[in-house]
Amino acid sequence: MRAIGIVLAGGNNSRMRELSNKRATAAMPIAGGFRSIDFVLSNMSNSHIQKVAVFTQYNAKSLNEHLNSSKWWDFGRKQGGLYVFTPTTTPENSYWYRGTADAMAQNLGFLKASHEPYVVIASGDGVYKLDYNKVLEYHIAKKADFTVVTANVEEKDDPSRFGVIRTDSDGRITEFEEKPISANSFQVSAGIYIVRRRLLIELIEKSAEEERHDFVKDVLIRYKNVKRIYAYQMPNYWSNISSVDSYFSTNMDFLKKDIRDYFFKEYPDIYSKVEDLPPAKYNAGSSVKNSLVSSGCIINGEVDGSILFKKVFVGNNCVIKNSIILNDVYIGDNTYIENCIVESRDTIRANTKYIGENGEIKIVVEKNERYAL
Amino acid sequence: MIKKEMIAMLLAGGQGSRLGVLTANVAKPAVAFGGKYRIIDFPLSNCINSGVDTVGVLTQYQPLQLNTHIGIGIPWDLDRNVGGVSILPPYEKSTSSEWYTGTANAIYQNLRYMEYYNPDYVLILGGDHIYKMDYEVMLDFHKANHADVTLATIPVPMEEASRFGVVITDDKKQIQEFEEKPANPRSNLASMGIYIFSWPVLREALIKLKDQPGCDFGKHIIPYCHEKGDRIFAYEYNGYWKDVGTLGSYWESNMELIDLIPVFNLYEEFWKIYTKTDRIPPQFIASDAVVDRAIIGEAAEIHGEIHNSVIGSGVTIEPGAVVRDSIIMSATVIGAGTVVDKAIIAENVTVGANCKLGVGEEAPNEVKPDVYAFGLVTIGEQSVIPDNVQIGKNTAISGVTTASDYPHGLLASGETLIKVGDK
């Protein structure tokens, strides 16, 4: 593909509550075996983008660990590759990334040194499959300056947490409001953009001069009436991790056969870092129903309507219902967990009870030392 | 100049004919094991865990699956700038072209590969055992004894020693005598087919015996070294070591992995076993599924019942199907309502709906009674079994079969159904 990729993975989201204490949203574990950034990286790899920059800033430890090798997404290449750009101080600049446009401005050299004519910019917290070549074809056909990939959401998804968009009959964006108080449309930005590299450099330089730092507000929305900005409608499943509720429901979507088959069985695949874990083990006394179980798990108790991420140990007589247990959690005997997300690498004591009540998902963090108990 | 202290030569060219249809199109080291592994993963992981980063894999019989699996060695961290894994098939030479005619002959034909790395020691391995072993400890033993050759040995029960090649040592573990399958064994230390040679000793012996037809380590090289008075030592290994050479032992060692705390534990952090992971997604266990004592690989979809079984990655068990005491390898589909009892079903097999596998009384297999025994149903890779058929015990099936292959809808115990060329 005649484009380079930029993944915006620096953000934090307070609506992720305690889950964001540990990692950036882009590193959130998804569907048992993945992290949310795997989707955008796999899409870029599968669209034959060879050179990808990931901008990280907030709490990037998990993310950096996940990206410690580029080979899993097939970016271990002589031509191109995967670049992780964290803010650095230079003689001219001592700021953190003050926004998405500033992140690009601080790494303008990457954009300038490339020779591909287009740039695909995408956030690291979307769960979807998309061939960016199709978006580029649309972009060229519409003679657009920018193309924004959009998705339709429902009332219950609360469109006001997104960039809300209205288009004319040709698909050109006429209205674009970022996180409005009340939304007047259910078409929202999926945080995926295509733009000509030269134009991007020009607008980013101009914004930097004017001390404007946000790509959506200060570039897209500001130039909406001057530049031709088109909406490309996401053809299939799309979800965005921006709150505990959306995180929970996105994961639970994978219990549905059509969504599971779409991501897990239909070509092309989503890739992730491979961890060498043995197959999941079900001991006598275990009972698992309607659940996803990842490799390295050992199950002795009851699991229903839940997702067990990698290397989860479920003790005897435990009951786990409608919950997400993140990576490497040890759950002691006789424990009851319902409507919860259990934070990764935790050890839950025996005989405890956690229930998320009144439709609220409870986040369980015990921080016990596993071998001290 | 390149210098590696010890390199490994892994003999992976054998067919493993006692695994019957499982090795019809796959070399034995590439046969799947334990839900997500292949047999060769164990020696390869042992190599990298022991600090041996240069491994020549000698292939000959049906190497496609093996080549695909090993690739450039990424899963084992054997993709190296210097060393790493190299696949070594037989090749044509200006004066001759021959297959590998024996274990030592195969190594002899790759003298130049070994010379390139300028090793002090060469480790000779087979590709057909399940075990975790630190070859570095064995090398330390070899060095401490100033040995020319060290054999890895394992104590076996005295009453079984007559099935093995045993060694008789003095109190310093120096080998005095060899006995191949002795009627009245005088020792219970069995050779594991793992050798460390000091490189000059190996090189001299291989060149000396180069015209020996079918030159073999156990039959020719070791006796030659013994006769000329080389210092040969027995290193005693005391961990789990399982030969998976027969369908019975293959089935048994898979089943051992399901035990509450398996003797051979894959869940330990220490000494991981690495493999090429083709599938990343988690497995799905449906609302109407029953899973009771099993290990299950990635991306499997379980809608039926599983009891005491090893299920590979990407397997689909349709609603109402029941699988007991069986090994189902990757990407195989078990149709709705089908009952599978004590079967080994290889990769990419489609078993139709409402079949019964493993029915009736046991009867010896009519074609290969010593291979297809243990009461097992064995189905080779890429096979197709039609709906509504019954299959007896000690049976073997390979290829795309249709209802007309099963008179009265039955393949009776002891029968073999092999269709070649249909695919």
Side-chain angles (χ1 to χ4, degrees), chain B residues 308-336:
Chain B
N308 201 41
S309 295
V310 173
I311 309 293
S313 61
V315 165
T316 306
I317 310 285
E318 292 184 354
V322 179
V323 176
R324 279 187 220 106
D325 306 319
S326 296
I327 300 164
I328 316 279
M329 300 185 202
S330 299
T332 283
V333 179
I334 306 294

Side-chain angles (χ1 to χ4, degrees), chain A residues 154-169:
Chain A
E154 291 166 36
E155 181 79 58
K156 68 173 172 58
D157 298 323
D158 183 13
S160 68
R161 69 188 166 104
F162 300 101
V164 179
I165 278 168
R166 281 182 167 235
T167 62
D168 65 15
S169 58

Side-chain angles (χ1 to χ4, degrees), chain A residues 73-345:
Chain A
W73 305 273
D74 236 351
F75 287 126
R77 313 261 134 234
K78 286 203 283 186
Q79 303 288 326
L82 186 70
Y83 302 78
V84 178
F85 292 140
T86 39
T88 53
T89 51
T90 64
E92 298 89 45
N93 173 49
S94 57
Y95 290 108
W96 291 89
Y97 294 153
R98 286 165 289 178
T100 44
D102 188 39
M104 289 183 235
Q106 289 192 32
N107 294 289
L108 213 54
F110 171 77
L111 285 171
K112 285 183 167 171
S114 301
H115 55 80
E116 290 80 353
Y118 294 97
V119 185
V120 175
I121 303 167
S123 70
D125 49 15
V127 174
Y128 62 101
K129 276 186 178 181
L130 181 62
D131 182 353
Y132 300 119
N133 288 293
K134 298 263 160 46
V135 188
L136 181 59
E137 280 168 26
Y138 173 91
H139 179 84
I140 292 168
K142 294 289 183 190
K143 297 187 174 62
D145 293 312
F146 285 93
T147 297
V148 178
V149 178
T150 60
N152 288 332
V153 294
E154 291 166 36
E155 181 79 58
K156 68 173 172 58
D157 298 323
D158 183 13
S160 68
R161 69 188 166 104
F162 300 101
V164 179
I165 278 168
R166 281 182 167 235
T167 62
D168 65 15
S169 58
D170 188 38
R172 185 167 173 181
I173 293 177
T174 53
E175 285 177 46
F176 194 151
E177 266 192 288
E178 184 68 356
K179 300 190 179 75
I181 301 273
S182 79
N184 60 356
S185 162
F186 293 107
Q187 190 176 15
V188 301
S189 163
I192 303 159
Y193 320 99
I194 285 195
V195 55
R196 211 156 38 77
R197 188 174 55 87
R198 285 268 153 228
L199 177 64
L200 181 67
I201 292 170
E202 182 194 319
L203 296 181
I204 291 292
E205 279 181 333
K206 202 179 264 175
S207 300
E209 274 168 32
E210 296 166 357
E211 298 270 320
R212 298 175 193 273
H213 303 309
D214 189 79
F215 179 71
V216 173
K217 275 197 211 94
D218 299 328
V219 179
L220 283 180
I221 293 179
R222 196 167 140 81
Y223 286 93
K224 167 172 68 71
N225 300 327
V226 192
K227 300 288 182 191
R228 293 167 58 85
I229 305 187
Y230 275 77
Y232 176 89
Q233 183 62 23
M234 181 77 76
N236 283 306
Y237 181 91
W238 175 80
S239 180
N240 175 270
I241 309 304
S242 60
S243 65
V244 170
D245 286 345
S246 67
Y247 177 68
F248 190 84
S249 67
T250 302
N251 274 292
M252 289 303 175
D253 277 347
F254 283 84
L255 293 177
K256 298 172 190 156
K257 185 169 171 52
D258 54 333
I259 291 170
R260 198 165 62 242
D261 285 353
Y262 173 62
F263 281 101
F264 295 170
K265 293 202 169 149
E266 274 179 40
Y267 186 83
D269 285 349
I270 302 297
Y271 315 109
S272 187
K273 181 176 177 171
V274 170
E275 289 176 60
D276 293 272
L277 294 169
K281 188 161 184 286
Y282 301 75
N283 288 329
S286 69
S287 161
V288 181
K289 309 272 180 200
N290 187 33
S291 295
L292 285 168
V293 177
S294 311
S295 47
C297 288
I298 299 178
I299 305 173
N300 296 295
E302 192 184 311
V303 180
D304 191 1
S306 297
I307 299 179
L308 305 189
F309 282 68
K310 294 174 194 168
K311 244 177 109 181
V312 170
F313 180 91
V314 179
N316 293 313
N317 300 317
C318 286
V319 177
I320 295 170
K321 280 188 183 163
N322 192 40
S323 293
I324 293 174
I325 317 292
L326 296 181
N327 295 309
D328 194 12
V329 170
Y330 181 98
I331 300 174
D333 296 348
N334 312 315
T335 288
Y336 186 97
I337 294 175
E338 188 173 356
N339 307 333
C340 291
I341 297 174
V342 179
E343 181 56 289
S344 63
R345 304 197 201 293

